[in-house]
Amino acid sequence: MLKKFLYTLWILILVVVVYFSLKNGTYTTFLRSMEDRTFDIRQSVLANSGNKKPSKDIVIVAIDDASYEYILDKYGEWPLPRDIYAKTVDYIELQNPKSIAFDLMFVKSIKSSAGADKALVDVFSKYNNVYTAMNLDDQPEDLRIPAKLPETLNIKIESKTNKVDFDYLEYSNCRTILDGILNTTSNIGMINVLRGDDGVLRKMPLFLKYQGKYYPQLGLKVAMDYLGLKDKKDFYVDKHANMYLTDNKKIHIDNDGSVILNWYGSSGTYQNIPLYKVLKASENNDKNAFDFQNKIVYFGATAASLFDIKTVPIDKVYPGVEVQATYVNNIIDGNLIHKIPSYANIIIGLALVILTVFIVLSIKSMPLALCTSMTAYFAYIMITYYLMKYSNLWIEIITPLSLALLAFIMTVIVKYLIKSRDFDQQYKLATTDGLTELYNHRYFQEQMQMAISHSKRYETVFSLIIIDIDFFKKFNDNFGHQSGDAVLRQVALTLKKNVRATDIVCRYGGEEMSIILPNAGNEEAVSIANKLCSLVASKKFKLSNGRESNVTISLGVSTYGEDGSTTEELISAADKRLYNAKENGRNRVN
């Protein structure tokens, strides 16, 4: 358990180091773009599931393709004369709508249409629930001198947070609308949008900055009117980046001063009434053709030829007016998405790292560990989906899973290193004599077979030396078994140090040892044996009681091909020569 904890801690630290070392502009941009795609997928699934229903109190009077054709046929040109909008507003107001909002900008006076402009201005004077749009931009001053906007349009913000960059959406110029409207009503909001680096619109500004003052987005003004907050001009943002509309209703602001939209469905989700039908009903004074009572009525273009088309998470072709409707709907029902802080995503990622390490180290089967890890990751993805579905929370998928996958790879490497080390350890235990640390008899037999196979195949020779420590039994009787063991270890070490790197030194049994000498003929083997015999005889060996003693060895040599071609024949030949060496006075080679 302690080992698992230490491995987990080590991998956790390593993952954090790797993550922050890679966290540069390119890597961060890649992660963000991938995360945006996961958001789009979740939003698409949720929108198609029918779980979220758009408000029935929002109606869109759409300038669709059919209405555009109708206007060209009836009036001979686009845009539609502004007095026609005025008459349409009068017609809709007969049913007491909650508000009427134009996702259209009435810029400049149209030539020979002063009367039409005046009719439209009079509508804004006549009704207090009619809203229109304006746009901020960064056009140079030599193209357009920045206009000073009426004080009635700006709002005040008291902020207690450092999490939001309120200057991110600051503009240096604006495209003003008719002076008559500007000087008549404060029901004017901005319609700037906020696209991602990939061109997808996921967010909308709450307000924008111009000439040091803040101006609300059109959708925010329309939603506040619906909520009975029409006259609110002072806004408070707490330290958690929540902007309060009322004591009980708040909006979470993202770090760039925007809000993240929660989509209800593809284009056409809201009730769309073609403008030409409303125009006909108005001309015929058909008061019962539509139900606008207590509704938010949005005017906007949905025809592709009018170029007010956006790309959003759930659709590549989405009318701007439906974006505005979604924005208003989100604020009204408190359905905006709240993205959790980056540090929270990293903490979640580290939790997945710990879980991954535990799974991989605990499960012996690698396929099962992989399957279990993938199941855990899939479960995490489903949790993020349901949290977005039921709590409107955007919890990241890419950063936590990238940390988890990095941990998985590292843990697998560590696990196989541990296994490799354990295998080496087990192999060493299986092939090595515990006392002398020489290869054991089993390994000796295996290597003899391999040496014979190699010599047969490549027509080479090898030799075998069998060694016996002289008078070892008497040595044990005189000095004790501990001293005997000490001598065995020291003789073994002397042999290992003084043979070739390719030679294999083994403990044959008892006080006997053996050496397999690949590619060594009889003459070379005898020479090596004589060298070893002299080295051992000249060496003082330390005993267990602190004394020293001389030891000698006897050696028998056999060679493949000359003395036999099987293991038994070679061992038998070497054994006979060892016996002869001992019979002829010991401390010699035969």
Side-chain angles (χ1 to χ4, degrees):
M1 184 60 73
L2 179 61
K3 282 186 178 180
K4 283 185 181 179
F5 172 77
L6 292 175
Y7 284 131
T8 302
L9 183 62
W10 180 75
I11 292 171
L12 192 64
I13 294 170
L14 194 59
V15 166
V16 170
V17 170
V18 172
Y19 174 76
F20 282 103
S21 64
L22 289 175
K23 196 175 181 184
N24 53 40
T26 303
Y27 181 69
T28 302
T29 301
F30 171 74
L31 287 183
R32 186 169 60 246
S33 65
M34 293 296 293
E35 183 58 40
D36 286 343
R37 290 299 302 138
T38 70
F39 174 79
D40 296 349
I41 292 169
R42 282 176 278 180
Q43 281 290 303
S44 295
V45 174
L46 287 170
N48 292 326
S49 70
N51 178 67
K52 296 176 289 184
K53 301 294 183 182
S55 173
K56 294 181 179 180
D57 290 341
I58 300 176
V59 177
I60 294 174
V61 177
I63 307 170
D64 57 4
D65 291 318
S67 299
Y68 183 57
E69 183 178 339
Y70 176 82
I71 291 167
L72 293 179
D73 290 343
K74 186 172 179 63
Y75 300 100
E77 63 179 355
W78 173 262
L80 183 69
R82 288 166 179 172
D83 59 331
I84 304 302
Y85 286 118
K87 292 175 183 178
T88 306
V89 169
D90 283 331
Y91 167 72
I92 295 173
E93 287 286 357
L94 292 174
Q95 294 193 33
N96 297 316
K98 185 66 178 177
S99 58
I100 298 173
F102 286 95
D103 186 32
L104 304 167
M105 291 199 301
F106 300 111
V107 297
K108 297 184 179 179
S109 293
I110 299 175
K111 187 176 181 181
S112 304
S113 299
D117 288 347
K118 184 177 184 307
L120 182 62
V121 172
D122 289 343
V123 159
F124 284 94
S125 300
K126 184 177 180 181
Y127 304 108
N128 194 34
N129 65 341
V130 182
Y131 292 81
T132 192
M134 198 168 72
N135 194 61
L136 298 177
D137 58 36
D138 290 312
Q139 293 290 0
E141 292 187 20
D142 60 355
L143 173 69
R144 183 200 312 137
I145 297 174
K148 184 174 177 62
L149 299 178
E151 288 294 320
T152 55
L153 299 187
N154 63 63
I155 58 175
K156 294 180 181 179
I157 300 170
E158 180 187 355
S159 175
K160 298 294 184 181
T161 183
N162 57 3
K163 298 178 181 179
V164 180
D165 180 9
F166 289 104
D167 294 332
Y168 181 79
L169 296 173
E170 183 172 9
Y171 293 88
S172 61
N173 212 327
C174 71
R175 191 179 183 192
T176 57
I177 57 177
L178 292 172
D179 287 342
I181 298 177
L182 276 173
N183 297 325
T184 297
T185 181
S186 62
N187 293 348
I188 300 170
M190 306 304 161
I191 54 170
N192 295 72
V193 298
L194 190 61
R195 291 181 174 88
D197 294 336
D198 55 0
V200 179
L201 189 156
R202 300 178 182 89
K203 301 178 177 182
M204 287 287 280
L206 276 174
F207 32 75
L208 305 105
K209 195 172 183 180
Y210 173 64
Q211 295 183 340
K213 297 177 181 178
Y214 294 101
Y215 295 88
Q217 228 271 356
L218 176 63
L220 177 61
K221 299 203 76 165
V222 174
M224 288 174 59
D225 188 346
Y226 185 89
L227 296 170
L229 303 170
K230 179 180 176 64
D231 298 325
K232 184 176 179 65
K233 291 181 70 68
D234 296 322
F235 294 88
Y236 172 74
V237 181
D238 68 13
K239 64 181 181 179
H240 302 296
N242 296 311
M243 186 180 83
Y244 286 81
L245 299 180
T246 65
D247 290 341
N248 299 320
K249 195 172 187 65
K250 61 186 179 182
I251 297 173
H252 182 77
I253 306 175
D254 205 31
N255 55 13
D256 56 6
S258 65
V259 291
I260 305 170
L261 298 183
N262 203 347
W263 302 89
Y264 298 94
S266 56
S267 178
T269 298
Y270 293 93
Q271 181 186 359
N272 273 242
I273 302 173
L275 176 60
Y276 81 89
K277 290 186 177 183
V278 179
L279 293 176
K280 285 185 175 182
S282 174
E283 292 165 2
N284 297 328
N285 199 27
D286 185 356
K287 299 178 181 178
N288 299 315
F290 309 103
D291 178 17
F292 293 120
Q293 187 171 2
N294 292 321
K295 302 290 178 67
I296 297 172
V297 182
Y298 248 107
F299 279 78
T302 62
S305 56
L306 295 178
F307 305 109
D308 190 21
I309 301 298
K310 322 292 184 191
T311 298
V312 300
I314 60 171
D315 206 334
K316 290 183 178 179
V317 180
Y318 206 85
V321 66
E322 293 197 39
V323 174
Q324 289 285 340
T326 301
Y327 182 27
V328 172
N329 203 157
N330 278 186
I331 295 175
I332 290 172
D333 61 17
N335 215 20
L336 289 163
I337 294 292
H338 180 184
K339 190 174 186 179
I340 68 170
S342 298
Y343 71 84
N345 289 308
I346 293 174
I347 290 172
I348 292 171
L350 296 180
L352 285 176
V353 167
I354 294 171
L355 177 63
T356 298
V357 176
F358 177 79
I359 289 171
V360 176
L361 291 181
S362 299
I363 299 176
K364 293 182 178 180
S365 169
M366 196 61 244
L368 182 58
L370 176 62
C371 183
T372 305
S373 298
M374 292 301 110
T375 301
Y377 302 156
F378 178 75
Y380 171 71
I381 292 171
M382 294 307 298
I383 289 170
T384 67
Y385 168 78
Y386 283 108
L387 284 173
M388 184 173 286
K389 179 177 182 178
Y390 294 112
S391 301
N392 298 327
L393 285 176
W394 181 355
I395 297 176
E396 288 189 4
I397 290 176
I398 298 301
T399 295
L401 285 190
S402 64
L403 292 174
L405 289 172
L406 181 61
F408 181 87
I409 294 168
M410 289 180 177
T411 310
V412 168
I413 293 171
V414 168
K415 185 174 182 177
Y416 275 96
L417 288 175
I418 294 170
K419 276 190 173 182
S420 177
R421 188 193 67 182
D422 290 345
F423 176 80
D424 290 343
Q425 185 73 15
Q426 290 174 0
Y427 185 75
K428 184 178 179 181
L429 290 172
T431 60
T432 305
D433 173 64
L435 176 63
T436 61
E437 295 186 359
L438 298 179
Y439 290 115
N440 58 24
H441 186 79
R442 175 183 174 184
Y443 187 81
F444 165 74
Q445 293 289 343
E446 291 174 356
Q447 292 302 308
M448 283 293 292
Q449 290 295 333
M450 290 176 65
I452 290 170
S453 297
H454 183 274
S455 293
K456 283 181 178 178
R457 182 171 183 179
Y458 297 104
E459 297 182 354
T460 59
V461 297
F462 76 92
S463 295
L464 169 66
I465 303 174
I466 294 181
I467 304 151
D468 185 72
I469 299 176
D470 296 330
F471 303 112
F472 188 71
K473 184 178 183 303
K474 187 182 292 185
F475 188 91
N476 274 339
D477 292 340
N478 291 336
F479 297 104
H481 287 283
Q482 287 186 338
S483 292
D485 290 345
V487 167
L488 275 173
R489 284 193 292 269
Q490 291 173 74
V491 170
L493 183 61
T494 302
L495 297 178
K496 283 173 68 176
K497 283 185 175 181
N498 291 281
V499 295
R500 301 172 305 173
T502 56
D503 296 340
I504 303 167
V505 185
C506 307
R507 184 176 183 186
Y508 188 75
E511 70 272 20
E512 288 187 333
M513 301 175 198
S514 61
I515 306 173
I516 301 171
L517 299 95
N519 299 310
N522 188 263
E523 186 177 340
E524 184 179 0
V526 169
S527 174
I528 292 172
N530 279 314
K531 182 183 76 170
L532 295 174
C533 183
S534 299
L535 282 170
V536 171
S538 64
K539 186 177 178 66
K540 289 285 186 180
F541 292 90
K542 294 181 180 179
L543 308 182
S544 62
N545 53 15
R547 290 184 295 174
E548 293 183 341
S549 175
N550 289 100
V551 173
T552 62
I553 58 174
S554 298
L555 304 92
V557 180
S558 64
T559 302
Y560 175 81
E562 295 180 17
D563 301 303
S565 58
T566 66
T567 300
E568 292 78 9
E569 290 172 347
L570 292 171
I571 292 174
S572 177
D575 255 339
K576 286 178 181 178
R577 290 191 176 118
L578 172 62
Y579 178 79
N580 290 335
K582 295 176 78 68
E583 284 294 309
N584 291 310
R586 293 180 172 82
N587 191 26
R588 67 185 59 227
V589 176
N590 200 324

